[in-house]
Amino acid sequence: SKRTLIAICTGAAMAALWSATACAGPAEFARYQETMLNQGALTLPVAANIEYERGLAAIADGKLEAATEHLQAALALRPQYPDAHFTLARVYARQFNPDAVYHFVQGFVVTATAFASQRALAVNGVVILVLVLLFASGIVWISLAVRYFPFLAHTLEEALRARFNASAARVAAYLLLLAPFALLPGYATGAAIIMLVTWSFMHRRERALSFIAMAMFALLAWFTPTLDHYTTVADPNSLVSLIERANDSPADESLQRALTATSADGLEAERQTALGMLATRAGETENAAAYFLRAISIRPGTVIAYVNLGNVYYLNGQYDKALEGYRKAEQADTSDAVAQYNLAQAYIKTLLMSESSRALARASQNGVDRVVEAIALPARTRMQIYPRAYTNRELWRMAGIEGRQRNPGVLASAISSVTGQSARVGFWIAALALLLVPVVQQSVKKGRLAFQCANCGELTCEGCCNDDRGSVICHACSQVVGGVTSDRVIEALLRQRRQSVVVRRRRSIRWMTMWLPGLRHVFFGRLVSGFLIAALFSLSALMLWTRGYPLPQWDALPAPTPLWKWILPAAGIGLAYWIAIVSRQRYEVRNTRAGSSRQRAGDVNNDSASQMA
């Protein structure tokens, strides 16, 4: 699409700029920084990334002192640079410098507080959580199908053989079972079919798990459009992304044109303010004042517009007008740190020293230091007053407003790609399945369901079982003891058959359930551990495939993937498979037979003992 093409071009342009600057000499590099600062840039991410790359090269050469200088220079140019903090912590740790702890903690703090990091973590975190839940619950559904579809196939086989005298009744039965999945492909339809047709065979905990999994999918599908309102931050050409770039960007005509051309339903005041910020940095003070005044007329009481309007007047030497703008901002929000600090500077220019002192105290109490620390050191030293930028909370608020007008559908696209159905269709399918569960439970005739032989565990049913000797056994066990009258001989023959069948079934189940981690645990009723192993496998596979970011940061500069992003997910996959392979679940006959006139009290006791196990 056009927007995707623009995003790709934006990333390519940034990569080209980084490459050209990285190849420049010291004089050209310094000239580039000076140009950006003269154009009003608050941070220098390209220059910071170059210093960071130089620091990595110095580490590879064993020059830790040079690496420290480059990494500190990167943080001076871009204070909110988590990678530089983490790498500097690693360098200090090798030198046994206690500052390693500070930079390690600061790296996490910056990751949690910087909007660029918040945007990547929030959108990717939601997508990863949704995909992991879908994959893990998919393994649960597969396990239930592997566990109980043979019961259905046996019932269908007996019915086909009795009614149609079918010669390949078992093959026909499995074809009938698999036909709905071929005719109605998709995660929601597949899960709904598995839950409905196996519900009558499930034990209580399995029913609870399947019901919860289906209900979670229904809730996720229903609230997907709401969650997608905020995924507009992942679109580089959305208004909130452009405004976020305008927060600390130098004067940029292309960014101004993009802001002007982008729809701003409900956010016109914010767009005018962002245009005013860019005009201020370009030295177009009259245009900047016009933008800010237009924003104030659209939304009176806009603190950021009043503060930046005061800055325009301050830079022009109109300190009384600047004071008026700052006071308007103070009336709208007395806790705004930048407004209080700039108000103090305007008081100094108008020789109101006592008022200036009080304003400085309020600015310090409200955290102006945190605002200043987010500005690049070279830009910070040039400023008498500070620009008021949009905060993270304001940007997320704008994302919600823009998302209601133009939903990017990031999460909906992810769900549709994985499940093969739209989120809305998936919700209705899941909701219908949940409503039909009690209907199925009441309408299914329990006496016609297949169950396991009390001796060997092979499948049998009311039409092919035998209970002449006090326990319900399958036709094969009945043939083994046919014509034998001695109880001891009967017991020995049944034991011999049971041992041979159990050994064979153990081997077949082991090979049948080891191809997906968690499948065997759920098959044998270890539901919680099975789901956790499936989730570990799903998360590790997803992280290995995407290297941590299903939706990569469009404004990220080129950087090699750290080795740990390959090793850690691969280790998670290996661990999940190791648990699946070495797990030796005990095979026992689980009585799934429903109550009927022929059921013995001993069967009920066996069922209770099996559930307790």
Side-chain angles (χ1 to χ4, degrees):
S1 65
K2 180 179 178 181
R3 306 186 71 84
T4 305
L5 181 60
I6 294 176
I8 294 173
C9 293
T10 301
M14 293 187 66
L17 176 61
W18 175 81
S19 300
T21 311
C23 297
E28 290 79 4
F29 186 53
R31 192 178 303 115
Y32 165 77
Q33 295 184 53
E34 185 68 20
T35 301
M36 294 295 102
L37 293 173
N38 289 337
Q39 293 177 358
L42 301 186
T43 61
L44 302 171
V46 173
N49 199 72
I50 293 171
E51 292 287 1
Y52 177 71
E53 294 292 337
R54 291 173 177 173
L56 293 180
I59 293 174
D61 294 337
K63 302 176 181 178
L64 297 186
E65 292 185 1
T68 301
E69 293 178 0
H70 287 301
L71 294 172
Q72 289 176 342
L75 289 174
L77 297 171
R78 183 186 173 191
Q80 293 185 323
Y81 196 173
D83 290 346
H85 277 294
F86 287 128
T87 305
L88 192 57
R90 181 158 57 93
V91 172
Y92 280 144
R94 292 172 62 176
Q95 298 173 336
F96 300 99
N97 190 324
D99 288 342
V101 178
Y102 166 78
H103 285 285
F104 185 75
V105 174
Q106 195 65 17
F108 283 103
V109 171
V110 169
T111 301
T113 55
F115 183 76
S117 301
Q118 283 185 352
R119 173 178 59 197
L121 289 175
V123 177
N124 284 283
V126 171
V127 172
I128 289 173
L129 178 61
V130 169
L131 294 180
V132 168
L133 288 176
L134 288 176
F135 293 155
S137 59
I139 293 176
V140 171
W141 295 121
I142 293 173
S143 178
L144 292 175
V146 171
R147 178 74 179 91
Y148 291 116
F149 268 29
F151 289 81
L152 290 165
H154 181 87
T155 303
L156 288 173
E157 178 186 357
E158 292 297 320
L160 291 171
R161 183 176 288 115
R163 180 167 299 184
F164 302 105
N165 194 23
S167 59
R170 183 178 295 271
V171 175
Y174 275 105
L175 288 176
L176 287 174
L177 280 177
L178 298 177
F181 297 95
L183 296 175
L184 300 171
Y187 174 90
T189 52
I193 292 171
I194 292 173
M195 185 175 75
L196 292 175
V197 300
T198 62
W199 183 266
S200 301
F201 298 100
M202 293 184 197
H203 289 270
R204 184 178 301 173
R205 290 185 302 166
E206 292 171 336
R207 289 179 176 179
L209 178 62
S210 62
F211 191 91
I212 291 173
M214 188 62 72
M216 288 179 60
F217 176 76
L219 289 174
L220 172 66
W222 178 260
F223 287 106
T224 290
T226 303
L227 294 174
D228 261 335
H229 288 165
Y230 295 93
T231 58
T232 184
V233 296
D235 182 0
N237 300 294
S238 65
L239 182 64
V240 65
S241 296
L242 296 175
I243 291 176
E244 189 268 336
R245 286 171 55 192
N247 257 351
D248 56 5
S249 168
D252 188 341
E253 293 183 2
S254 62
L255 182 55
Q256 284 182 318
R257 289 193 296 270
L259 279 167
T260 304
T262 303
S263 175
D265 294 337
L267 295 172
E268 184 59 34
E270 286 78 3
R271 176 167 65 177
Q272 295 296 324
T273 302
L275 289 170
M277 294 160 62
L278 293 174
T280 302
R281 293 164 194 165
E284 302 170 357
T285 55
E286 292 185 4
N287 289 338
Y291 283 128
F292 293 133
L293 289 172
R294 198 172 300 127
I296 292 169
S297 66
I298 296 171
R299 187 172 298 159
T302 305
V303 175
I304 184 172
Y306 277 123
V307 173
N308 287 299
L309 178 62
N311 289 352
V312 172
Y313 292 137
Y314 187 98
L315 295 174
N316 285 339
Q318 299 173 287
Y319 301 118
D320 290 332
K321 283 190 173 184
L323 197 60
E324 182 180 353
Y326 297 143
R327 283 173 174 168
K328 289 284 188 181
E330 183 184 31
Q331 292 173 6
D333 185 4
T334 58
S335 63
D336 192 273
V338 176
Q340 293 294 333
Y341 182 87
N342 292 354
L343 179 63
Q345 302 306 312
Y347 278 138
I348 292 175
K349 292 296 185 180
T350 54
L351 303 179
L352 299 173
M353 298 304 178
S354 58
E355 289 84 349
S356 174
S357 178
R358 288 192 292 269
L360 281 174
R362 289 193 295 269
S364 179
Q365 292 174 358
N366 293 323
V368 71
D369 291 339
R370 293 192 298 271
V371 178
V372 175
E373 289 171 358
I375 302 174
L377 183 61
R380 194 188 315 166
T381 55
R382 299 180 174 209
M383 296 179 179
Q384 296 181 4
I385 53 175
Y386 298 113
R388 170 64 159 83
Y390 281 106
T391 63
N392 293 353
R393 180 179 298 180
E394 292 168 336
L395 290 170
W396 283 112
R397 176 187 63 81
M398 285 187 277
I401 295 173
E402 185 179 12
R404 284 192 289 271
Q405 303 294 331
R406 186 179 58 83
N407 196 324
V410 173
L411 187 57
S413 298
I415 293 177
S416 178
S417 300
V418 173
T419 64
Q421 294 154 330
S422 68
R424 190 60 67 193
V425 172
F427 165 77
W428 288 114
I429 293 174
L432 182 61
L434 293 173
L435 292 175
L436 288 178
V437 160
V439 178
V440 171
Q441 188 172 2
Q442 294 299 323
S443 60
V444 171
K445 296 180 179 180
K446 310 296 183 181
R448 295 187 178 181
L449 297 177
F451 52 90
Q452 287 183 292
C453 171
N455 177 60
C456 66
E458 292 283 8
L459 298 180
T460 186
C461 62
E462 291 290 338
C464 62
C465 69
N466 187 305
D467 62 351
D468 294 338
R469 289 178 172 81
S471 62
V472 181
I473 58 177
C474 64
H475 181 67
C477 289
S478 179
Q479 284 185 327
V480 168
V481 297
V484 181
T485 58
S486 172
D487 291 340
R488 290 187 177 181
V489 175
I490 291 174
E491 183 179 351
L493 291 173
L494 290 176
R495 185 186 307 114
Q496 183 180 8
R497 170 166 169 76
R498 180 169 61 250
Q499 290 174 348
S500 63
V501 171
V502 166
V503 170
R504 176 166 47 84
R505 284 184 61 82
R506 264 187 201 155
R507 188 180 298 113
S508 64
I509 291 173
R510 184 175 182 83
W511 287 105
M512 185 172 54
T513 59
M514 68 179 294
W515 57 285
L516 277 177
L519 193 63
R520 182 178 302 167
H521 287 72
V522 177
F523 183 95
F524 283 105
R526 306 290 181 86
L527 304 181
V528 175
S529 58
F531 183 82
L532 292 178
I533 294 170
L536 171 63
F537 169 74
S538 303
L539 177 61
S540 301
L542 184 62
M543 298 294 282
L544 183 63
W545 178 39
T546 63
R547 267 83 69 193
Y549 287 94
L551 300 175
Q553 293 177 268
W554 53 267
D555 56 349
L557 295 171
T561 301
L563 188 59
W564 67 268
K565 287 189 176 182
W566 295 94
I567 295 177
L568 194 60
I573 295 174
L575 177 62
Y577 268 110
W578 181 80
I579 295 173
I581 293 173
V582 304
S583 174
R584 298 185 178 275
Q585 304 291 342
R586 183 181 177 185
Y587 173 71
E588 295 178 348
V589 177
R590 296 175 61 188
N591 189 355
T592 56
R593 188 183 184 195
S596 69
S597 59
R598 303 178 62 185
Q599 185 168 0
R600 301 291 185 258
D603 294 334
V604 178
N605 294 333
N606 290 338
D607 186 30
S608 301
S610 176
Q611 290 185 13
M612 291 177 63

